[in-house]
Amino acid sequence: MIIENQAMVTEAVIEAFSRIENPRLREILLALVRHLHGFVREVRLTEREFGEAVRIIAELGHKTTASHNEVMLMAGSLGVSPLICLLNNGNQGQTETQANMLGPFWRDDQPICASGDSLVRSPTPGAELLVSVSLEDAAGRPVAGAEIDVWHSSPEGLYENQDPKQAEMNLRGRFVSGEDGRFQFRSVKPAGYPIPVDGPVGDLVRATRRHNFRPAHLHFMVFKPGFKTLISQVYSPDDPHIDSDVQFGVTRALIGNYVRHDEPSSELGFAAPWYSLDQRFVLEAGEARRPAAPIRGKISAT
């Protein structure tokens, strides 16, 4: 098709993409062209603005390394990650769900742990935490033999891959649920933290006059064949940013009951104050699939 005016550009692309054999790929790309071209027309994007957009996209790639995923961070900062999560879980977005974003800090090589083990692998000052987890299917039956990855930030608000002072795999672990569908672990209560703002995501945060903090949370990923992989975050209700998450991730179903204990526990060896969390997850039947890990290691010490 020889292009004679701006409207024909869209027509030509749609005609070409209509010949894609894969029906799902064809559906996605045709919708992408319609909406992307419509956006360009709606805002009358200038050549200078288009050049800046291309620069930002390239910079997202340049800022993404083995220890930091700027693309994933941007997806959350635009609300895309939480939207996709809510559309694809809880009866396809019709009911409440315990699913949440994967986030940019999961590693696929987290160490195997026994129930009751501690995630603390190097000195990590902070209030101690005991977490008890139960897994059930939709009928309330315990789910045994599931693999559960757990990871979280330190009380200083840093994941181990960001912090050279933390040992490799500090505050990370992989557990297997018992016959009763349960497991426990010990750790320290995580803190909320600022997302990195030295790249395009920071430019977006500043332009929208928002703070760059995520509220404190624990990450969980539950994997077992026969069930849809559950990726979840359980947020601490006492965090000052619980209702203004820079990544738009907090739902009511994900606010955990972190109980503060003001007396020491001789049984656990915990000093006061310490916290406990009893968390129940309900798994949906479906495909078990591990996502691609957004990071692969720690930052380099400088």
Side-chain angles (χ1 to χ4, degrees):
M1 180 185 295
I2 303 300
I3 307 300
E4 297 180 2
N5 54 57
Q6 56 90 9
M8 289 184 67
V9 176
T10 305
E11 295 172 10
V13 179
I14 287 177
E15 180 184 21
F17 286 10
S18 295
R19 296 190 290 270
I20 296 173
E21 292 184 0
N22 184 295
R24 179 58 175 163
L25 179 60
R26 182 172 65 246
E27 178 187 14
I28 290 172
L29 288 179
L30 287 175
L32 173 63
V33 169
R34 289 195 302 270
H35 288 284
L36 183 57
H37 287 214
F39 163 76
V40 169
R41 291 190 175 93
E42 179 181 340
V43 302
R44 298 195 65 84
L45 199 69
T46 68
E47 291 172 320
R48 178 176 294 182
E49 290 164 342
F50 174 65
E52 179 65 7
V54 171
R55 183 197 68 77
I56 291 170
I57 292 171
E59 183 64 15
L60 289 172
H62 293 155
K63 288 291 294 183
T64 296
T65 67
S67 62
H68 173 78
N69 194 312
E70 188 82 0
V71 177
M72 183 73 80
L73 201 62
M74 179 63 84
S77 299
L78 290 171
V80 175
S81 298
L83 176 59
I84 289 174
C85 175
L86 292 174
L87 281 172
N88 286 275
N89 294 279
N91 190 25
Q92 300 301 305
Q94 301 304 305
T95 62
E96 197 171 58
T97 178
Q98 293 180 300
N100 206 220
M101 306 173 291
L102 176 66
F105 295 114
W106 174 61
R107 296 179 62 175
D108 194 23
D109 51 350
Q110 301 190 163
I112 297 293
C113 302
S115 180
D117 280 356
S118 175
L119 301 185
V120 179
R121 307 179 193 284
S122 59
T124 311
E128 293 172 292
L129 173 67
L130 176 68
V131 180
S132 301
V133 178
S134 63
L135 306 179
E136 299 177 2
D137 64 15
R141 296 170 297 209
V143 176
E147 293 183 355
I148 308 96
D149 281 26
V150 182
W151 68 104
H152 66 85
S153 71
S154 72
E156 294 182 349
L158 292 170
Y159 289 81
E160 58 85 29
N161 64 289
Q162 298 175 299
D163 186 2
K165 294 183 296 183
Q166 294 185 48
E168 180 78 359
M169 295 296 176
N170 191 43
L171 308 182
R172 297 179 183 269
R174 181 172 293 171
F175 296 84
V176 177
S177 60
E179 290 301 315
D180 58 357
R182 296 178 178 273
F183 71 97
Q184 284 189 333
F185 64 89
R186 303 179 185 207
S187 195
V188 289
K189 190 171 183 284
Y193 55 85
I195 64 170
V197 290
D198 58 346
V201 171
D203 294 337
L204 173 67
V205 170
R206 286 184 288 271
T208 54
R209 297 183 180 273
R210 304 189 70 223
H211 67 70
N212 64 317
F213 278 82
R214 296 222 65 215
H217 55 276
L218 298 172
H219 290 267
F220 295 87
M221 182 164 64
V222 184
F223 174 88
K224 183 176 181 179
F227 295 94
K228 184 173 185 179
T229 299
L230 175 64
I231 298 167
S232 189
Q233 299 181 34
V234 180
Y235 296 90
S236 181
D238 60 357
D239 191 283
H241 302 110
I242 192 69
D243 61 352
S244 59
D245 179 13
V246 67
Q247 296 272 287
F248 305 101
V250 181
T251 69
R252 295 203 179 277
L254 296 174
I255 298 177
N257 184 24
Y258 291 76
V259 178
R260 176 177 169 131
H261 302 268
D262 289 318
E263 296 294 332
S265 170
S266 57
E267 178 183 358
L268 296 171
F270 284 178
W274 61 279
Y275 290 82
S276 61
L277 171 69
D278 290 329
Q279 183 63 39
R280 170 177 168 266
F281 290 115
V282 178
L283 305 185
E284 299 180 24
E287 179 186 5
R289 182 183 63 85
R290 287 193 182 276
I295 60 170
R296 299 181 301 279
K298 293 176 71 73
I299 59 173
S300 300
T302 57

